[in-house]
Amino acid sequence: MDEMTEHEKFLWDELSAANDMMLRNAFLLEDYIDYINAAGLREEFEAFRKVKAQQEANKSS
């Protein structure tokens, strides 16, 4: 296989870093969801989301 050029290596490193960051965010989100469910806060969270969606809708009107 051919060696990567400096530009290709730079792009590969940037892509790898972005992928790592997205994986960390996904794991963090999964932990938040597990916490919400374990703490029995699912109903409160759903109510919060409805209020937030309504506030966003009111802002755009």
Side-chain angles (χ1 to χ4, degrees):
M1 184 171 178
D2 295 330
E3 291 277 329
M4 285 193 279
T5 66
E6 285 297 315
H7 183 69
E8 289 169 331
K9 184 176 179 345
F10 169 78
L11 293 176
W12 181 259
D13 291 343
E14 289 294 309
L15 180 62
S16 295
N19 187 49
D20 290 345
M21 183 175 56
M22 289 193 312
L23 281 174
R24 284 192 305 271
N25 286 340
F27 290 137
L28 182 60
L29 179 57
E30 185 177 33
D31 287 345
Y32 278 133
I33 291 168
D34 289 345
Y35 171 78
I36 287 169
N37 289 328
L41 299 172
R42 182 146 184 92
E43 292 80 18
E44 289 85 351
F45 180 68
E46 290 299 327
F48 167 78
R49 289 180 64 206
K50 287 179 185 176
V51 168
K52 186 175 178 181
Q54 185 60 48
Q55 289 173 342
E56 291 295 322
N58 291 343
K59 275 187 199 176
S60 14
S61 298

